[in-house]
Amino acid sequence: MLRKLSGSLRRRLALILLPILLALLLASAAVQYLLAVRPMQREFDRAMNDVAVALAEHFVVDDTGDTGFQLSDEAAALLDADALDYNWYAAFNERFERIAGESGLQWPGNVVKRGEPYYFDAQVNERPVRAVAILKACGALDCGVVLAATLRKRGRLIRDMQLSALVPVALVGSVAFALVWFGLGSGLRPLVRLSREIERRSPRELSPVKLRDAPDEVQPLVTAVNRLMQQLGEANQAQQAFLATAAHQLRTPLAGLQSRIELAQLETRDPESRARLGEIHESAVRSARLAVQLLSLARAEPGASSTDAHVPTDLAKLAGELVNEWVPRAIEGGIDLGFELGAAPLNGSPLLLREAMANLLHNALEYVPRGGCVTLRTGADAMQVWLEVEDDGPGIPPEQRSRVLERFARLPGSPGGGSGLGLAIVREIVEGHQGRLILGAGADERGLRVRIEIGQVNTAAL
């Protein structure tokens, strides 16, 4: 758990730092790209303007004032000499009617001023082009020329500039990301060591945590953890003292009280007295059962007793040990109690697991009417071992199944004299074994099926 938290802190810090670093690198690349692309575009435009000015020198005005355009073969060859881009031109007379060149080029309008090149984007033969228009005096009036070129050289140079801008960003970014990630890992290593040290401990080990060479920022955490360990140790000692005292002060007198009541029942001959003694005996049995359940609940809590260490065991074997105790009770209550026991090896506390089974059987026999059936099953698969106690009694409504797992919770109108601790004890025991407790309906949606799943298979015992 703590290791996950430290990893999460590392990711959280990385998610804060790395986007900022990435944004700075991308901004740097964008600035570098813009600073390089704009001068390049201006140089291309200036070169086009030089060619357009040279083309404008080929206008001629005859004696009648009509404007013509005569392009020499050498000049035309120069326009076609570009190996990458296509070049088109169009010449326009004083009425801005095309008199020579590409029919797909149009005069851009009144936006062109004499002596100032006008650059614009257009399309020629469905190809995007960059164009320049210049206006020139042709006699008393103005004429103009438009030169357009495709964008292959520009696109290639832009891609080269993009690559030259992004490659350093990628390299620097990768190195920076790695340095940030491993730097965060190095800075958080004391927390990782602390988490591993605590993770290796059993719930009963409450000695102070020792973390050597811890930075100042981690020392308060270590101090707080050690203070908590001390408080837990003191609470555990007080609880153990209570358990020892309660076991002696409650169970022994109650067992003696039951024996005396049973002896009194045998000696008295008065039916009324025997009935009252029977009621007292039933109350004593319930009190003894409550005392045992309270002790079981305390024992099931983490770190409650060093005698509950997890050892290799088998649910089927533990269930078999309960047969002689619970079958006579079932026969006395007129209930068919069956055992379907498959091997279910695991590492667990035999005492607590046996207590869980006993509580489930007690609940089933308590609430199933005469003539009913109760079945205890055990088994295992590749992932987990499991235990089921199924009955055909009144069951528990789905909306109440989570509530009955709470301590001292009983359904309204429930028969019997239970205290509401049975399933709470089972839940504590299952959680102590990192398992799951599932409540569902029995066969044909009748009764109750309580299933325990524990994912700690002792493969050596299979």
Side-chain angles (χ1 to χ4, degrees), residues 327 330-337 364-366 368-374:
V327 168
I331 294 175
E332 182 180 353
I335 298 172
D336 180 11
L337 175 59
L365 297 179
E366 181 81 9
V368 173
R370 296 184 68 87
C373 294
V374 176

Side-chain angles (χ1 to χ4, degrees), residues 19 25 37 53 103 113 119 153 197 199 215 234 237 243 256 341 366-367 379 386 396 433 449 459:
L25 290 173
V37 167
V53 170
S103 60
K113 298 179 180 179
Y119 301 98
K153 286 197 296 292
E197 181 177 347
E199 196 173 35
E234 294 173 354
Q237 292 176 1
L243 288 176
L341 306 181
E366 181 81 9
Y367 295 109
W386 53 268
I396 300 176
H433 287 77
R449 178 188 291 120
T459 55

Side-chain angles (χ1 to χ4, degrees), residues 77-371:
L78 288 176
L79 291 176
D80 296 333
D82 196 329
L84 290 178
D85 283 316
Y86 290 96
N87 297 283
W88 295 278
Y89 76 94
F92 299 87
N93 61 16
E94 63 276 3
R95 293 183 298 276
F96 296 104
E97 298 172 347
R98 187 180 58 82
I99 58 176
E102 173 62 38
S103 60
L105 285 175
Q106 303 294 327
W107 184 254
N110 296 328
V111 296
V112 185
K113 298 179 180 179
R114 184 186 294 180
E116 297 181 6
Y118 176 72
Y119 301 98
F120 61 98
D121 297 320
Q123 281 194 344
V124 176
N125 299 329
E126 299 183 352
R127 295 182 181 181
V129 297
R130 180 68 171 173
V132 60
I134 60 173
L135 199 62
K136 178 186 177 183
C138 294
L141 300 175
D142 291 334
C143 57
V145 64
V146 174
L147 176 67
T150 55
L151 306 176
R152 291 182 180 177
K153 286 197 296 292
R154 296 178 187 241
R156 178 175 294 182
L157 286 175
I158 288 175
R159 287 192 296 271
D160 292 342
M161 290 181 179
Q162 289 174 338
L163 187 62
S164 64
L166 290 178
V167 168
V169 169
L171 294 176
V172 173
S174 300
V175 174
F177 290 171
L179 291 176
V180 169
W181 182 256
F182 288 107
L184 289 175
S186 177
L188 295 173
R189 192 168 292 120
L191 288 177
V192 175
R193 290 200 300 267
L194 175 62
S195 69
R196 289 175 178 172
E197 181 177 347
I198 296 178
E199 196 173 35
R200 286 193 295 265
R201 292 176 171 231
S202 69
R204 302 172 183 85
E205 186 178 354
L206 301 176
S207 59
V209 177
K210 296 180 180 179
L211 186 62
R212 298 179 180 177
D213 302 326
D216 295 338
E217 292 80 4
V218 179
Q219 290 296 337
L221 175 61
V222 177
T223 303
V225 170
N226 288 336
R227 188 182 302 115
L228 177 61
M229 292 289 187
Q230 181 181 359
Q231 294 172 353
L232 290 175
E234 294 173 354
N236 186 50
Q237 292 176 1
Q239 180 174 303
Q240 293 303 315
F242 164 77
L243 288 176
T245 303
H248 177 73
Q249 298 294 332
L250 291 177
R251 292 199 297 181
T252 302
L254 286 173
L257 177 61
Q258 292 181 53
S259 300
R260 290 179 180 274
I261 295 172
E262 292 170 358
L263 180 61
Q265 284 180 306
L266 293 175
E267 292 178 349
T268 185
R269 298 184 180 278
D270 181 16
E272 184 176 353
S273 298
R274 289 176 62 88
R276 291 180 178 177
L277 287 172
E279 295 174 358
I280 297 173
H281 183 268
E282 184 177 349
S283 297
V285 170
R286 286 199 301 269
S287 298
R289 173 66 182 170
L290 177 59
V292 171
Q293 286 188 315
L294 287 172
L295 296 176
S296 298
L297 185 62
R299 188 186 299 115
E301 293 178 347
S305 176
S306 60
T307 61
D308 299 330
H310 289 196
V311 297
T313 186
D314 194 307
L315 293 179
K317 179 181 178 182
L318 298 178
E321 297 172 358
L322 299 175
V323 172
N324 293 334
E325 178 183 356
W326 289 96
V327 168
R329 298 190 188 185
I331 294 175
E332 182 180 353
I335 298 172
D336 180 11
L337 175 59
F339 290 82
E340 300 175 5
L341 306 181
L346 78 162
N347 292 319
S349 168
L351 180 64
L352 294 179
L353 292 172
R354 192 183 299 111
E355 182 67 25
M357 294 182 192
N359 276 279
L360 293 179
L361 288 176
H362 180 273
N363 280 356
L365 297 179
E366 181 81 9
Y367 295 109
V368 173
R370 296 184 68 87

